[in-house]
Amino acid sequence: NAKEAYQCWLQYKKIEDGRQYDEYASICLNLAVVGDSVILNSALQELIQAVTSMFDKEPLITNYADPDSSIILGTYQDINLTDYGVDASIMDRLNEEGYLLQTVNNGKRDCLLLVGKSDKGTLYATHHLLRLIQTGEAINDLTIVESPRNQIRMLNQWDNMDGSVERGYSGNSIFFDNNQITTDLERIKDYARLLSSVGINAISINNVNVWQVETNLITSKLLPEVANIADTFRRYGIKTFLSINFASPIELGDLTTADPLDQDVKKWWKDKVKEIYAHIPDFGGFVVKADSEHRPGPFSYDRDHADGSNMLAEALQPFDGIVVWRCFVYNCMQDWRDRSTDRARAAYDHFKPLDGKFHDNVILQVKNGPMDFQVREPISPMIGAMENTNQILEFQIAQEYLGQQKDLAFLIPMWKEVLDFDTYAKGEGSTVTAIVDGSLYDYKFSGIAAVSNIGNDINWTGNTLAQANLYGYGRLIWNPNLTAEEIAGEWVLATFGSDSTVLENITSMLLDSREIYENYTTPLGIGWMVNPNHHYGPNVDGYEYSRWGTYHFADRNGIGVDRTIETGTGYAGQYFSPNKKVYNSLEECPDELLLFFHHVPYTHKLKSGETVIQHYYNTHFKGVEQVENLIVKWTMLEDKIDEFRFNNVLDRLKMQLANAKEWRDQVNTYFYRKSGIADEKNRTIY
Ligand code: GCU
């Protein structure tokens, strides 16, 4: 029975009879919903489902507030706050998606108001209440006022129409199968429920690499079915986007060029966009990967990325649509002899000179690091570099380079490091959070997007513990002030219940996991060393001698990439001061990023006093021990967790242990043989 696995954090487990049951039940069983909209109805349905399941009783429902109502939900336009003695100006503090949870007395009894600034706000308020109950918090005297910090809170599916998912580790697509769009809208609805419960409000449903079949998603043949998916998401406050092929006018057989400055091409896209909006009136817009890894783009016509994105933006503008234009543009056919070409520099070099040239409904989407979602990278210098161009940050929830949802890697601490990073773009305090929430430069559009980690596996994410990354992503981008500990704790309670050993063990497993993964793979910021193409497991030279341009430059004397201004690729110079100076300096550069910025001898001493080579040996041995310890912690939970989820995670932890040992042995052996320097502790190195 995999019911719990499927339900993720929306378990709504029956609450045991007793004091807590009575307290919660006295508030939850008499619901009034005022107003009417599809989103409000989703809120009500969620509440009914949750209440029925948690109290084993169906709630009473009215469509007006009466003296017996114990919860009233609606928008502030429909609920007159002053009637309840609440100062209505409280709503002025909220943005469109914000809400208020307020306990009031209606003369006869205490009653909880769930009031949204819009119906979306009411849906989010409902989930806030359900989260409080699932995490065992009191709900009898609430005043909670919340708004999301980020405007666009997006997911990117990398789903292909043949049903495969690029970098998908959880089965096949829930959107497509056999080159058709799914008719299983129930599963889409359940996905929408999960996403809205953590505040996601936008989704692109197909892979950024738009192949032949997917190019047809914007044709009248497939748009009605895309519209069905969009309808389902709309009920949960989520806007649908499509990834498009820049060469569509050619690929769909209408024109011989896709030149963005060609009048026929412009008209083609304008007509196309009109057609899309006839099917999906609130369509979000396009996600575009152009001139990247062999995908078509404006470069073919000697145009730049502003020309390309503006052309699409003009077509979308009358409908309030936006263009999410990806900055993952680099030369993937690098010659190793050319030491000035540096993939890390590429996005900045391409886009920075174009600042100010983009229309205001274009948003540039930037990966959090300059390379490609490695276990540790510096923050992309693009973030904050473009004062006059909307930006959205891109994370990857799918663990492409972090163990592919076999190995445990809780990503929230890593994302928090990104968000907390001070870019100094406008002096001290110019954090990534302040850039992507739009406040630092007053962007019209901004936010955060992430590559999803779900598929049609019964538990959505392959490894059940990887559900925490989807949950945590939504929670963190709603409120970047939440700590990783808080998010982990919430997730465990809602997902597995309140047993204290369960809570303690899983929380600590999650919080330690990224560092553990880093220990047995590629510490000190170098990254890669993975098997080419699929990217799982060690292969120290896997990419080193290929043309994809990702190198560690290890030789018999040393390792690391010289990205300094004086002798290296100059990448460090793309940062604002003082970051520029810190990264550029061998003395000041933080150890965890040392090899990203500097090429050093194996005997170079780290701040810890260890040499680089000894640090590599130590972390690799330690990483394996830490995975063994994860297994011990999980095994302790055997009789506290349902069998399906217990075995699912245990199986994956065993795969992780095998993987960790392989990493340890290959990496240690490689560097021992390259350097000829023995392990000080004389452990087994092959
Ligand atoms: C990575 C990933 C690709 C993906 C690309 C992108 O390189 O391996 O599968 O297409 O990123 O973000 O566009």
Side-chain angles (χ1 to χ4, degrees), residues 158 166-167 209 289 293 326 328 367 372 400 535:
W158 282 4
E166 181 153 339
R167 312 308 177 186
N209 293 311
K289 172 174 178 176
E293 300 182 333
R326 296 178 79 237
F328 188 59
K367 290 190 183 187
D372 196 8
E400 175 177 355
H535 299 165

Side-chain angles (χ1 to χ4, degrees), residues 264-275:
D264 291 339
V265 172
K266 288 186 182 206
K267 178 161 185 326
W268 189 92
W269 279 108
K270 283 194 171 142
D271 292 344
K272 184 48 77 189
V273 166
K274 215 179 275 169
E275 190 184 344

